[in-house]
Amino acid sequence: MPGRLSNKNAIITGAAGGIGLETAILFLREGASVLMADVNSAALDRALSKAKEVVPGHVGRIEAKVVDVSAEADIQAVVQHLDSWGGVDVMFNNAGIQHLKDGDAEECSDPIWDLTMNINVKGVWYGSKHAVRSLRRHGKKTGSIINTASMVALVGAATPQVAYTASKGTVLALTRELAIVHAREGYRFNSLCPGPLNTPMLQDFLGDDKAKRFRREVHFPTGRFGEAIEQAQAVVFLASDESSFVNAADFVVDGGMTKAYVTPEGPSTVGPKNLGQ
């Protein structure tokens, strides 16, 4: 039985773990050919092996390439590599960082700001630009570009992370602009806005700082972090023809967090009484 992404060629950046890896696995299960891209060579090799292991007998091809999304030449090369596959149909610009030294207006240094913007914003811009070029080059009438933003671009974050939040707000604005500009060509652009997830990137950022963790968890309507697979399922929808009239959307998958204030029962694991412990 054909999958929802049969005959589609996809590039996923930040594919070595988290949302990227889970999306690669689901894309393969839905019949897509997938190129997994990441800057971490060792982690990417492990992710490629895992994807092949959990989706045996997949009909689409799968490859992995080491890519620095902040370097346009890397993005251009990986997109052009798909010319031999028939060009890009889906581009998931997912790679991003949340630096441990990000902070408030005083704490965030110029190098951290620039690094965050180069990866989180330029990476999305380069991926979008070269995806459009590939779609045009191959005369495609439809295409889906999905950019990972964040719920903090919509509501701000109680935990200081000005560079990250600003970068994700830029992703929303950039995605909306591209969606309108390229709509008549049949190329859709949508932003994925995850809530806090149980991924290594966020857990490393929160670390053992109970106060920082509490400022997140007190807002959870569901009482838990989200999981990467729950974001990947949304990406499959946005990549498929089922979302053919979804364009310029801030696609929020946050368990209701952006619509909540403070949950009545508070966080499930850390409360005010033991913040100092």
Side-chain angles (χ1 to χ4, degrees):
M1 180 177 177
R4 289 185 287 170
L5 301 179
S6 293
N7 302 315
K8 293 187 185 294
N9 301 321
I11 295 175
I12 301 171
T13 67
I19 299 172
L21 174 55
E22 295 293 345
T23 300
I25 290 169
L26 289 189
F27 274 22
L28 287 171
R29 286 177 173 158
E30 292 294 341
S33 292
V34 179
L35 195 149
M36 301 170 66
D38 202 282
V39 73
N40 187 327
S41 177
L44 185 59
D45 286 342
R46 291 192 295 270
L48 178 63
S49 296
K50 180 177 180 180
K52 289 179 177 179
E53 177 184 342
V54 300
V55 194
H58 53 84
V59 296
R61 71 179 82 186
I62 180 170
E63 293 183 24
K65 295 284 186 183
V66 176
V67 172
D68 176 359
V69 298
S70 68
E72 184 172 9
D74 279 18
I75 291 290
Q76 182 175 4
V78 78
V79 173
Q80 289 179 343
H81 179 74
L82 260 68
D83 283 347
S84 63
W85 298 17
V88 174
D89 297 291
V90 179
M91 185 81 187
F92 182 26
N93 293 307
N94 172 64
I97 64 165
Q98 187 173 20
H99 203 283
L100 296 176
K101 293 185 178 179
D102 198 352
D104 62 23
E106 287 189 301
E107 294 167 344
C108 183
S109 65
D110 278 8
I112 299 304
W113 178 276
D114 292 342
L115 177 65
T116 302
M117 291 295 171
N118 285 341
I119 295 172
N120 292 4
V121 177
K122 279 190 174 180
V124 169
W125 171 36
Y126 293 152
S128 299
K129 176 197 298 189
H130 289 285
V132 166
R133 287 180 176 176
S134 177
L135 289 164
R136 288 173 171 172
R137 191 160 59 243
H138 292 272
K140 294 182 184 282
K141 302 302 181 183
T142 61
S144 177
I145 295 89
I146 303 139
N147 300 326
T148 298
S150 171
M151 56 153 284
V152 301
L154 299 168
V155 296
T159 301
Q161 49 182 38
V162 294
Y164 179 82
T165 297
S167 73
K168 294 304 185 178
T170 305
V171 168
L172 289 190
L174 174 62
T175 303
R176 294 185 197 120
E177 173 77 1
L178 292 169
I180 304 309
V181 168
H182 296 287
R184 292 295 178 96
E185 295 179 84
Y187 308 152
R188 299 183 293 112
F189 288 78
N190 293 290
S191 295
L192 179 73
C193 297
L197 303 180
N198 184 27
T199 61
M201 184 175 79
L202 179 60
Q203 297 302 339
D204 288 347
F205 179 75
L206 296 176
D208 295 326
D209 188 329
K210 293 182 179 179
K212 184 186 287 189
R213 188 173 291 273
F214 174 73
R215 285 196 294 270
R216 291 297 180 91
E217 293 189 350
V218 74
H219 293 282
F220 287 3
T222 58
R224 67 173 177 87
F225 285 96
E227 298 294 336
I229 184 66
E230 294 171 310
Q231 304 298 321
Q233 289 162 344
V235 178
V236 169
F237 169 70
L238 292 173
S240 75
D241 295 338
E242 294 171 1
S243 61
S244 58
F245 205 56
V246 180
N247 191 37
D250 304 336
F251 205 85
V252 182
V253 187
D254 69 344
M257 192 169 175
T258 53
K259 300 299 187 289
Y261 181 50
V262 176
T263 56
E265 297 181 359
S268 57
T269 58
V270 180
K273 293 181 180 179
N274 59 3
L275 280 177
Q277 297 178 2

